[in-house]
Amino acid sequence: MAQNAPDTVHDATAARLVLGLSVADEVLCLNVEDLYPQDKRGKITAKDGATEWIHCQSGTAQLLPRLTARRTRGSLFLTDRKTPAGTPTLDVCPETGRARLSYRRAEEIFEENTRLPANPLASPEDIEDLDGWTLHRLRHSTLTHDAEGGTSTPMLPARSRHASVRSLERYARPGVDAVARHVAERDPAAGRRR
């Protein structure tokens, strides 16, 4: 599927925000007016109605102005067509008339665009028969890499917005090499040999 530049920016920004461990549903609910790119964050309303913040890295913050294309309000992530009748007003961009991108459609786009990276030995001719990654898998593989990289236990649920450390147990499981590296880095005998 050939993509034009806005779609590429759209997809890259969404993936970067999810890579930042934000919950995809929350990212898709972001509005342009709730962005603070200079502070690398956006304001969201959590499931319990509380105001929460999602944070991004510099690369994502730099993509945001291209994604908003001078829009000052409305949904950050939009569909590529006009809104169907009956769409709730909150999900319609007042400046473009386009609808907020749904989780289902975001998942389809991401899965399509990750078929080759998810299957590095496959040929491009086989792309239609391949499965790509899911947004959930992306988020949790990032969480695993953060845990392997030494991100502190209190920081993992704060970044991933999990309710407790216990809910992270099935995702934040460092691999054998990460555990070996951790032990080696803390080996007092290794420090004396240097």
Side-chain angles (χ1 to χ4, degrees):
M1 176 171 112
Q3 292 185 321
N4 58 28
D7 289 337
T8 303
V9 171
H10 184 273
D11 299 342
T13 308
R16 284 175 179 261
L17 284 169
V18 174
L19 269 170
L21 294 179
S22 301
V23 179
D25 286 339
E26 294 171 347
V27 169
L28 294 171
C29 287
L30 273 171
N31 287 325
V32 174
E33 60 269 27
D34 296 327
L35 296 175
Y36 298 85
Q38 68 281 6
D39 297 328
K40 301 178 191 155
R41 63 183 174 178
K43 183 171 55 173
I44 58 163
T45 303
K47 291 177 185 174
D48 63 2
T51 297
E52 299 281 350
W53 295 92
I54 58 174
H55 303 272
C56 62
Q57 294 180 334
S58 299
T60 305
Q62 290 169 359
L63 288 173
L64 290 172
R66 290 178 54 201
L67 180 64
T68 59
R70 297 194 175 111
R71 289 183 294 124
T72 58
R73 57 197 175 119
S75 304
L76 178 61
F77 295 101
L78 301 172
T79 61
D80 56 357
R81 55 185 170 264
K82 292 288 182 187
T83 306
T87 301
T89 308
L90 288 174
D91 289 335
V92 178
C93 176
E95 296 181 20
T96 65
R98 291 165 48 202
R100 182 181 305 275
L101 186 67
S102 69
Y103 184 93
R104 182 193 56 78
R105 182 64 185 132
E107 180 93 323
E108 287 172 0
I109 292 168
F110 186 72
E111 190 275 334
E112 273 180 23
N113 286 292
T114 59
R115 287 178 183 171
L116 285 177
N119 300 278
L121 301 178
S123 68
E125 296 81 38
D126 299 329
I127 197 165
E128 294 303 320
D129 299 324
L130 302 174
D131 290 326
W133 291 315
T134 64
L135 293 171
H136 186 79
R137 180 174 173 204
L138 172 67
R139 179 171 182 257
H140 288 292
S141 67
T142 301
L143 187 58
T144 299
H145 290 297
D146 275 2
E148 289 179 346
T151 299
S152 69
T153 302
M155 185 59 71
L156 289 171
R159 284 200 61 218
S160 67
R161 304 193 21 76
H162 278 87
S164 72
V165 175
R166 283 196 63 105
S167 63
L168 293 173
E169 288 177 354
R170 67 181 200 180
Y171 304 113
R173 293 194 177 198
V176 173
D177 293 339
V179 173
R181 190 170 47 254
H182 173 81
V183 170
E185 288 169 357
R186 286 153 182 79
D187 184 352
R192 287 192 294 262
R193 284 186 236 141
R194 292 182 193 162

